[in-house]
Amino acid sequence: MTPMGFVIDAIGLGLFALLGGAYGLLYAASELRAERRLARFALASYAAQSSVLLAILAFSALGPIWKVFLLASGIAYYFIPRATLRYLKNLHASGEIHS
Amino acid sequence: MISVPSLYSSQKLALRYFVLSVALFGVMIVFGLMAATQYIHPSFLFPAFAFNMAKTMHVDVLILWLLTAFFGCLFWLLPSEFKRDLIGMRAANVVFWLFCATIAAVAATFLFVQTGPGTDKTLWLINQGRKYVEEPRWAAIVVAIGIAVFMYNIIGTAIAAKRVTGIAAVIILNLIPLFGLYMIAFPAMTNMALDQFWWWWLVHFWVEATWEVLIGAIVALVLMRVMNASRSVVETWLYIEVALVLATGVLGIGHHYFWMGAPKYWLGIGGFFSALEPLPLLGMVIHAVYDAGEHRMKMTNQPAFYWTMLEAFGNFVGAGVWGFMITLPQINLFAHGTQWTASHGHLAFWGAYGCGVISVIYLAVQEAGGHGQIGGRAWKWAFGLLNTGMYGMGGSLLIAGMAQAFYERAIGGSTFNAYVAAQQTPWFLEGIWMRWVFGLVFAAGYAVLAGNLIALARRSRVPVAAAGVLAVEGAGTR
């Protein structure tokens, strides 16, 4: 790993997590407010996160196991907000019934 | 509604803990600013008060202001869970004053004695020399007694009340490792690798396990009070969060074992599990957004609500994003122990814990004073200045830390010359300067926060007799 490579990798990893968070935040907001514009921003965030991931996979000096792990994380980031939100909706619906 | 003649005695004690905690928060900032100044002017106050003691005071008081705030939070919130006052309050009051005296004595020792020869006497009376738990052994014994009495207050009350809610059960179970892990503050091992191995159990499992669980339970109680969230929903979500945080956080301890003599397999284990840590934090962000949307931003206490929401976001950014940057072994090799780590530490502590406890302090001030919605601009200024200051400091330290990791570690090969050279680079110097400037902004935010809390406390609208009613009214009875 070159000196500059390690800095770029670290920035890439930070951006990867940050964009995943932005996607989750915007996705949840778009679902709650039923706003298409927010949904588009959410998808754009995920697309940006995927681009960062692809760049890491292509150019980073990280080993193949770490790259597979990051790829799996990238896929998980797509589903986590959807699964979490669906679960929360069900939880709140059943909570309202029981309360 | 439950009528009580006055504030519960545990809630009166909680208010004292909050006063102590906010005062310690200020002390932490003062020593942080001193250390930041010494980075720019290394001779500042030298040799009377060197950088190492300013840093020791800064990080030790960090632990203390949060720990005393946690005590305050639980003393304030738990009577509504148990539907009664907490037991053993006489002992708890003694512990509070014992804590105050101990903190004052240890601070005086650190300020005026500072260090001693490598003997048992130094360990017992001056400084144990391990980061975060430098307090001399006699003071560590006082802390252990304090936590033991705190456990007695809560577990004893649960037994006396014959009532344990899900949240109370999580808190009780969590107190056992909280106490047990503190025992690691005592041994003094001469083998550094062994000493570090166990010391990380205390630091990591307090900060990334037991404290995470504790703040999760506190936030659950706050959400029920501030947004009238359903207990069943909040409790179920708490169980999930606890499971996920522990699943990733326990073996995530491995990211501290990379470079201190532990076996090589920790590189893989630590890297893998700590890289998973942002995922439950992402779930918390989704939950925060969902709660805000579900309740259409209607809340009974605006400052408490905003600080609680920031807790979720700040935790994700500080612990999740900043942690993810440096947690893989290939990156950590260069970044650990630099200002980059300090940047992560500042943002993670602030996001995960600082914001959460400030939220409860606003809640307690409102309930004790019988205020309606807390209006005015002061809390907004405090919110804005504190967060601008903190994220500014985090960004500045990140730049300084990247320069340090790049020039000192990656290019210079971690030699002493490289260390000195990296400290002279413009990126590092400007980052350190900007940290100082944003530190002043943060201090200004603290001044506004403290002023606002004092003003609210003085503007009590109801006699104390009725305040107790407010304190338990609607507190998660759905």
Side-chain angles (χ1 to χ4, degrees):
Chain A
M1 189 176 276
T2 63
M4 189 49 83
F6 119 79
V7 174
I8 290 170
D9 277 0
I11 292 171
L13 290 169
L15 273 176
F16 172 75
L18 190 65
L19 289 165
Y23 161 64
L25 170 71
L26 291 165
Y27 176 80
S30 73
E31 285 289 306
L32 286 167
R33 300 182 67 169
E35 274 192 35
R36 278 191 182 176
R37 203 166 59 121
L38 283 173
R40 279 200 290 271
F41 281 132
L43 273 180
S45 296
Y46 187 71
Q49 187 194 23
S50 302
S51 307
V52 171
L53 175 62
L54 286 175
I56 292 172
L57 296 181
F59 303 114
S60 161
L62 292 172
I65 293 175
W66 292 110
K67 288 185 178 178
V68 171
F69 169 71
L70 287 172
L71 181 63
S73 290
I75 295 166
Y77 266 101
Y78 181 77
F79 291 105
I80 286 171
R82 291 162 190 271
T84 307
L85 206 60
R86 191 176 307 144
Y87 181 72
L88 276 169
K89 281 179 180 171
N90 292 338
L91 193 62
H92 275 256
S94 62
E96 294 303 322
I97 291 165
H98 292 305
S99 63
Chain B
M1 181 193 293
I2 299 161
S3 293
V4 288
S6 63
L7 281 180
Y8 288 118
S9 56
S10 69
Q11 291 182 317
K12 288 178 186 167
L13 180 59
L15 295 176
R16 285 195 202 112
Y17 266 113
F18 288 141
V19 171
L20 176 63
S21 170
V22 172
L24 288 171
F25 184 20
V27 172
M28 180 198 71
I29 293 168
V30 168
F31 284 102
L33 279 173
M34 280 172 62
T37 308
Q38 286 170 327
Y39 261 107
I40 299 167
H41 302 291
S43 58
F44 178 66
L45 293 180
F46 186 82
F49 196 71
F51 171 81
N52 63 321
M53 290 318 295
K55 188 188 171 187
T56 297
M57 288 293 288
H58 182 59
V59 298
D60 284 16
V61 177
L62 160 75
I63 301 297
L64 280 174
W65 93 265
L66 292 174
L67 194 64
T68 50
F70 285 150
F71 280 18
C73 292
L74 294 182
F75 278 132
W76 185 263
L77 295 167
L78 282 181
S80 65
E81 285 299 283
F82 294 124
K83 305 291 180 206
R84 58 162 292 165
D85 202 359
L86 268 58
I87 67 161
M89 290 316 297
R90 187 172 292 178
N93 275 290
V94 171
V95 163
F96 172 79
W97 292 112
L98 207 55
F99 269 167
C100 292
T102 304
I103 290 167
V106 172
T109 309
F110 283 177
L111 290 173
F112 301 112
V113 185
Q114 300 185 5
T115 53
T119 62
D120 275 352
K121 192 178 166 190
T122 299
L123 287 178
W124 277 97
L125 299 176
I126 301 173
N127 192 325
Q128 291 200 90
R130 297 157 100 203
K131 194 171 161 191
Y132 298 115
V133 281
E134 277 105 339
E135 71 274 15
R137 196 168 281 168
W138 72 266
I141 291 171
V142 173
V143 174
I145 292 169
I147 299 172
V149 171
F150 186 61
M151 284 176 71
Y152 162 68
N153 296 139
I154 293 174
I155 297 171
T157 307
I159 293 167
K162 296 188 175 77
R163 171 191 160 86
V164 181
T165 61
I167 297 173
V170 168
I171 291 168
I172 288 169
L173 287 174
N174 190 53
L175 285 174
I176 297 165
L178 187 80
F179 176 77
L181 288 164
Y182 189 70
M183 296 300 107
I184 302 169
F186 294 96
M189 298 175 198
T190 48
N191 181 323
M192 282 295 285
L194 207 59
D195 186 69
Q196 287 281 296
F197 186 92
W198 291 111
W199 174 78
W200 276 116
W201 272 56
L202 168 58
V203 175
H204 177 90
F205 287 137
W206 258 34
V207 173
E208 291 184 52
T210 55
W211 281 24
E212 284 275 7
V213 172
L214 201 54
I215 200 72
I218 288 168
V219 166
L221 291 167
V222 171
L223 285 176
M224 287 197 297
R225 283 168 120 100
V226 173
M227 303 188 79
N228 202 23
S230 157
R231 173 179 289 280
S232 61
V233 171
V234 166
E235 284 190 342
T236 308
W237 192 246
L238 177 65
Y239 300 147
I240 294 168
E241 278 182 7
V242 168
L244 288 173
V245 164
L246 293 182
T248 56
V250 170
L251 284 172
I253 194 173
H255 65 237
H256 300 296
Y257 289 167
F258 290 163
W259 323 115
M260 37 69 82
K264 199 178 172 184
Y265 53 74
W266 282 110
L267 295 174
I269 295 172
F272 178 77
F273 282 96
S274 56
L276 288 177
E277 284 185 63
L279 298 181
L281 305 180
L282 176 64
M284 289 182 202
V285 170
I286 309 288
H287 188 203
V289 174
Y290 185 82
D291 267 344
E294 172 75 8
H295 296 273
R296 303 195 191 294
M297 299 291 279
K298 285 181 186 162
M299 74 292 289
T300 58
N301 184 321
Q302 272 194 333
F305 170 78
Y306 280 100
W307 280 109
T308 306
M309 289 296 116
L310 191 69
E311 196 270 341
F313 292 104
N315 202 358
F316 177 76
V317 173
V321 176
W322 255 245
F324 196 66
M325 267 196 280
I326 55 174
T327 205
L328 297 189
Q330 294 88 336
I331 309 291
N332 192 275
L333 175 65
F334 303 104
H336 80 281
T338 63
Q339 299 295 334
W340 202 335
T341 324
S343 163
H344 164 54
H346 276 75
L347 295 184
F349 265 107
W350 178 246
Y353 305 118
C355 298
V357 300
I358 291 173
S359 144
V360 183
I361 293 172
Y362 265 109
L363 188 70
V365 166
Q366 180 196 37
E367 292 178 346
H371 298 288
Q373 190 63 261
I374 293 176
R377 288 186 297 180
W379 76 264
K380 293 174 188 166
W381 272 101
F383 187 87
L385 286 169
L386 281 166
N387 286 299
T388 304
M390 179 51 73
Y391 285 96
M393 279 195 284
S396 308
L397 287 171
L398 176 69
I399 291 166
M402 280 182 161
Q404 200 181 353
F406 181 75
Y407 291 110
E408 177 197 325
R409 304 280 173 83
I411 290 182
S414 298
T415 61
F416 183 71
N417 279 347
Y419 170 80
V420 174
Q423 306 275 319
Q424 305 302 321
T425 61
W427 288 98
F428 183 87
L429 290 171
E430 284 162 19
I432 289 298
W433 260 103
M434 286 314 292
R435 185 269 297 271
W436 186 77
V437 171
F438 280 111
L440 289 179
V441 174
F442 190 78
Y446 168 78
V448 178
L449 175 82
N452 187 224
L453 290 172
I454 292 167
L456 286 167
R458 284 185 176 163
R459 255 196 341 256
S460 178
R461 287 186 187 167
V462 292
V464 171
V469 179
L470 282 161
V472 293
E473 186 180 10
T477 50
R478 286 175 70 195

